[in-house]
Structure formats: structure tokens, C-alpha cells
Amino acid sequence: MKPTTIDEYISAAPDEIQPRLQEIREAIRERIPDRVEAIKWGSPAFCHPDGMILVMFSSHRKHAIVVVTPGAKEAVADKLGDLETGKGSIKIPHSIPVPTDAIHALVNERVSEYSEEGATWM
């Protein structure tokens, strides 16, 4: 059965990965106090109260991915260090500590981008 909540999504992951996913979730939550949490396209999503997706993450066998808009990712590229990036994402290998500062930078920029510029999801 597919998860319908973020708690279910994390619980469905391998036991050794669950604490990392919870740490990523908390890093995102810290920066979006009035968020609405949901599952969108099968992944945890953190939305503005009006329903706009702000941030998503997903878990994979060897890594997790945090996704924002390409503009938000580009705006904080200098704060992402050696993390592998995609169009609007960062890849977090399970073999390294969760880069909380990088996640905070991404989320802060995405929230600002939406609230100040009205930048929608991809």
C-alpha cells in the first residue's frame, strides 16, 4: 500500500534510513512553520497553506533527494558544497551526515522566492 502521510512514508523506508529521513523532515519543518505536509507524486511535500508546493524530498537506496525550484537551488549554489545537484535538487548520500545547513539554505530561499516573487512549482 502506498503511503498517504509523511509518517507512513518514513516508516516504509528501511530501518537504518528512517532516522535520516526524519532529520531531513525536521530540517525542512524548522524553516516552514506554517506548512501543510502531504504526499505529492508519491513523495513527502511541504506546502504553503494555499496549497503551493515549496519543498519535497524522497528516499532512495543509496541517497535522499531534497527538491526545490531550479531558481531557489541556483540562488544558494554556493552553500551546497560538494553535493551533487540536479535541476532543482540536491542528492544526499546516506554515507554522509545530513547537510542541515544546505537544506536550511534551500528551504529559506524557496520560501522567500514564493512569498516575495510568487515563484510557483516547476
Side-chain angles (χ1 to χ4, degrees):
M1 182 159 61
K2 291 185 178 187
T4 59
T5 67
I6 295 178
D7 287 330
E8 289 176 4
Y9 184 93
I10 292 172
S11 293
D15 291 346
E16 64 276 8
I17 303 302
Q18 291 178 21
R20 293 181 61 74
L21 299 179
Q22 190 60 38
E23 191 174 350
I24 291 167
R25 179 188 195 182
E26 290 304 318
I28 295 168
R29 287 171 124 180
E30 289 172 5
R31 297 302 197 239
I32 312 175
D34 61 346
R35 78 211 163 262
V36 175
E37 296 184 3
I39 297 292
K40 302 278 187 179
W41 301 298
S43 296
F46 300 82
C47 304
H48 187 275
D50 68 11
M52 179 58 60
I53 297 171
L54 298 173
V55 182
M56 295 179 72
F57 78 89
S58 59
S59 177
H60 305 274
R61 193 168 55 93
K62 294 187 178 188
H63 62 274
I65 294 178
V66 175
V67 183
V68 294
T69 59
K73 193 225 30 169
E74 287 304 317
V76 298
D78 61 327
K79 297 180 177 147
L80 302 179
D82 294 333
L83 293 170
E84 186 177 335
T85 63
K87 182 177 178 180
S89 65
I90 61 167
K91 182 187 277 188
I92 305 168
H94 293 318
S95 61
I96 67 167
V98 172
T100 304
D101 290 343
I103 294 170
H104 285 167
L106 283 168
V107 175
N108 289 343
E109 182 60 33
R110 174 61 183 130
V111 169
S112 175
E113 173 191 64
Y114 181 64
S115 63
E116 295 174 15
E117 302 168 25
T120 59
W121 193 245
M122 296 180 254

